[in-house]
Amino acid sequence: MQLRILLAAVLVVVTTMASSFGTTNGQDPCETSCGDLAIEFPFGTREGCYHSHDFLVTCNRSSGRPIPFYKDSNILITKISTMQESEMEIEMFVASDCYNNTGYAYGYTTSLLLRDFRISTKNWFVAIGCDTDAYISGSRGGEYADGTGCISRCSSNTSRMTNGSCSGVGCCQVAVPEGMNSFKISVDSYRNHTHLLDFNPCSYAFVVAKGKYNFSTNNLRDFGSVENMPLLLDWAIGNKTCEIARKDTHTFLCKGNTSECDQEYGGPGYRCRCTPGYAGNPYRENNCKRSYECQCPKGYKKDGRGCMKDVSLIIQIVVGTLAAVIFLLIFVVWLYLGLKKRKLLMLKEKFFRQNGGIMLQQRISREGSSSHHDRAKVFTIEELKKATNNYDETRIIGKGGYGTVYKGVLSDKRIVAIKKSKLIDQTESQIEQFINEVVILSQINHRNVVKLIGCCLETQVPLLVYEFISNGTLSDHIHNESRSLALTWDIRLKIATGTAGALSYLHSAASVPIIHRDIKPTNILLDDNYVAKVSDFGASKLIPVDQTELATIVQGTLGYLDPEYLQTNQLTDKSDVYSFGVVLVELLTGKKALRFDRPENERNLAMYFLSSLKEGRLFQVLDDQHLVLNEGIIPHEIIIISRLAERCLRMNGDERPTMKEVAMELEGILASMIEKHPWVQTTSNEEESESLLKQVAVDRDYELTHGNKASSSTFDSMSNHTILPIASGG
């Protein structure tokens, strides 16, 4: 009886073992699965079934359902590939760093140690959080490898974040260093999430397979429920190459005629694969089976064992493909460049016609009797690009409301100023007027007017080429404390006289009268000898010979604008007279035409000057540092010019003098100064002139002291006029 019980027990044990390991009829006793995971050598669940400890799969059955873990850890294995990619997918833990209202920190670090396995470069290292600094470090082949990391910042405004994007706002990611076989993840915060506790109290970091994670702004609040992320591991056998490993026939795993070492794998270690035409597990002897009649694919040829690469055919294909690609590339580049050049030529032709190029050529041809020197030259776009070094920013010498001015050097070594205007829509009549202005302005040859040399019409907006004036604008000198010292009274008077002469010429001596419409110190240039040059005719208007005024849209700079023009829209030559009067006041006072940081009654310089003149307080507004004033005593010439400025600034244009009258009066004052003070003849030695002027006794018959209530009919002429308020300035 006892013998029967013993035999029955032995039978049960044998039956159980057979059901677990297979049968005892010669089949493999190793487990081939654990739950849904297929297990094949070199992986196994017990000693003798796996190649090394790195290939151990622990099958946990304690919960009733078999769960495969990696080695002796609690890291879940989800996939193993032995035939193609030689990869294993695991569920790796997420590292975290969290804080609460008391500032208490809690969290986890994550690490993994491998030998024959490496972290696949098909993973990303990802960090989540709004106050996050994450880092991954590890080793490669037993030696420390450089780590990497990333920083993620954000505010609680989720509208600035993008779902699916790990660009550093709420989420960041970097590539995993190649070849790492162990790693450790650390995650930290800069401010302990103190400003984000309600929104994002934690930082998270993990390694995840590419394509297995998409960032969502919701992760900033509830990612704590995620404990693991899928991670890919690359594996190979040992750390020896194919050539070295196959020398040891006992340990070399690529055995049999149908299994070969993968020569395309670059290590470390080696991998096996079935020869072409065979399928199976190449790590088990004779497991690669031919399941069909081998039809070698293109690029292979048959040999005794199956298919092998046809190297000669491959070389032919590669060489032919490469030659075809090179030829196609050259053809595409040639075609692209040809089409681009043709398109550019067509565009240049379009702009040339659009900007009135044909009309300008006809005008130049029609006026062929004029000297070649006076003709407007039509430049090509290539000439001006070369002259400005392709409009290099270092060549910019000025910017304004109408565009940018570049310094250029033409092919004949002439230095010029090239004006690139802003984009505007032009009607046909405006184009005709522009061409007319170019022709006329190019013929103006006055020492106090900047010479227009020519233009370029091959761009969307025409480019204008002027002579280059080297010493900057009058504004640069008046309102720059260090440069204004050089502007002695005689130099200021000569600048005013030269400017008035230029405007007088434009109004009355040019072939067609021209109203400048924007006279101000920034549009008056100075050469090295302080000779004034009127420039920038972008707002100018030609006056037909049978008209004295034009109805136009108000254009100009506040502070210099004629109040009568501002009210009526009627542009006359007296509008330039008013603007010149403001420039004259700036020369006398050294102050800007419009300044909102001054007291309200002093903001508009012209109005302040007129009121000071009327109330006998002229000394208060004059630039006593540069006009050779001695404690309230004003030279006779300055009083005369102040009265001239007052007449130019009268509200009624009919009461203002013409520019011809202004120029003549200034020339007379300058001539009398030269006669009275013979040294005031040249500006070449300014320091000597300034020194001599300071020694001259001032004529006290014209003394006008502070607080004097003296008035005259000249001063009272402004008393009954309305002063227009000006809100802003240019």
Side-chain angles (χ1 to χ4, degrees), residues 167-410:
S167 60
V169 181
C171 173
C172 65
Q173 66 183 26
V174 293
V176 175
E178 185 175 2
M180 289 176 56
N181 56 0
S182 69
F183 71 86
K184 180 179 179 180
I185 297 175
S186 58
V187 59
D188 202 353
S189 63
Y190 285 90
R191 294 194 286 175
N192 299 344
H193 291 262
T194 52
H195 61 305
L196 300 163
L197 285 173
D198 295 333
F199 173 69
N200 175 233
C202 296
S203 294
Y204 303 97
F206 48 89
V207 179
V208 62
K210 293 179 180 179
K212 292 297 183 76
Y213 171 71
N214 282 317
F215 170 70
S216 168
T217 54
N218 294 330
N219 296 156
L220 298 172
R221 292 187 175 89
D222 59 10
F223 198 77
S225 60
V226 179
E227 296 180 354
N228 306 301
M229 293 298 286
L231 177 151
L232 285 178
L233 299 177
D234 288 332
W235 58 267
I237 307 301
N239 56 10
K240 298 178 181 178
T241 63
C242 287
E243 288 73 20
I244 297 174
R246 66 161 48 97
K247 292 179 181 178
D248 189 347
T249 58
H250 296 289
T251 59
F252 188 59
L253 298 184
C254 306
K255 296 180 179 179
N257 294 331
T258 57
S259 176
E260 62 182 18
C261 197
D262 187 358
Q263 299 291 340
E264 296 177 358
Y265 173 64
Y270 68 94
R271 291 174 178 171
C272 301
R273 68 181 181 186
C274 292
T275 56
Y278 291 81
N281 185 349
Y283 296 93
R284 299 187 64 185
E285 189 171 0
N286 299 322
N287 191 266
C288 293
K289 305 293 184 182
R290 188 197 297 260
S291 57
Y292 58 91
E293 180 64 23
C294 177
Q295 297 294 327
C296 294
K298 189 174 181 179
Y300 286 82
K301 62 181 181 180
K302 289 185 180 181
D303 70 345
R305 298 184 300 167
C307 296
M308 63 176 291
K309 288 184 179 179
D310 187 352
V311 179
S312 61
L313 180 59
I314 292 175
I315 292 174
Q316 293 175 15
I317 293 173
V318 169
V319 171
T321 303
L322 190 60
V325 169
I326 292 173
F327 174 80
L328 183 62
L329 185 62
I330 293 172
F331 175 78
V332 169
V333 171
W334 174 81
L335 185 63
Y336 170 78
L337 292 176
L339 290 174
K340 186 177 180 180
K341 184 177 181 180
R342 178 177 172 79
K343 184 178 179 181
L344 186 61
L345 289 172
M346 292 175 64
L347 191 63
K348 285 162 60 176
E349 179 67 18
K350 174 189 172 184
F351 288 148
F352 184 82
R353 292 178 176 275
Q354 182 176 293
N355 291 324
I358 304 299
M359 191 186 306
L360 180 60
Q361 287 178 336
Q362 291 172 349
R363 286 289 302 273
I364 294 173
S365 175
R366 202 163 49 234
E367 297 173 10
S369 57
S370 62
S371 67
H372 178 75
H373 179 74
D374 292 335
R375 294 183 194 173
K377 179 177 178 181
V378 181
F379 292 90
T380 66
I381 190 172
E382 287 78 17
E383 286 179 293
L384 298 190
K385 276 186 177 181
K386 184 178 179 181
T388 59
N389 195 18
N390 199 20
Y391 305 104
D392 193 305
E393 287 189 359
T394 60
R395 295 290 188 95
I396 294 176
I397 56 176
K399 286 187 177 181
Y402 297 107
T404 304
V405 182
Y406 295 83
K407 181 179 179 181
V409 181
L410 299 178

Side-chain angles (χ1 to χ4, degrees), residues 139 156 185 191 196 205 228 244 280 283 299 302 316 349 418 423 431 463 468 479 494 523 531 638:
S139 63
S156 58
I185 297 175
R191 294 194 286 175
L196 300 163
N228 306 301
I244 297 174
Y283 296 93
K302 289 185 180 181
Q316 293 175 15
E349 179 67 18
I418 299 170
L423 183 64
I431 293 170
L463 301 173
F468 178 74
H479 305 301
K494 288 186 177 183
N523 286 340
V531 174
I638 295 178

Side-chain angles (χ1 to χ4, degrees), residues 45 181 247 251 291 321 357 359 400 419 439 461 542-544 553 558 575 598 617 674 676 697 710:
T45 58
N181 56 0
K247 292 179 181 178
T251 59
S291 57
T321 303
M359 191 186 306
K419 183 177 179 182
V439 173
V461 177
L542 304 180
I543 307 176
I553 298 173
L558 290 181
S575 300
R598 296 194 293 242
R617 295 183 289 103
I674 293 173
K676 185 177 180 182

Side-chain angles (χ1 to χ4, degrees), residues 70 75-81 85-92 112 114 117-125 136 176-177 179-183 206-212 229-235 271:
Y70 180 54
I75 298 174
L76 180 66
I77 302 174
T78 54
K79 183 181 177 182
I80 295 175
S81 173
E85 299 84 4
S86 296
E87 292 175 345
M88 183 170 77
E89 184 183 277
I90 62 174
E91 292 287 328
M92 193 58 197
L112 182 63
L114 307 166
F117 286 43
R118 282 156 299 285
I119 314 302
S120 174
T121 55
K122 296 180 182 179
N123 297 297
W124 287 113
F125 175 64
I136 179 172
V176 175
M180 289 176 56
N181 56 0
S182 69
F183 71 86
F206 48 89
V207 179
V208 62
K210 293 179 180 179
K212 292 297 183 76
M229 293 298 286
L231 177 151
L232 285 178
L233 299 177
D234 288 332
W235 58 267
R271 291 174 178 171

Side-chain angles (χ1 to χ4, degrees), residues 140 160 431 435:
R140 184 186 298 113
R160 298 180 181 177
I431 293 170
I435 296 301

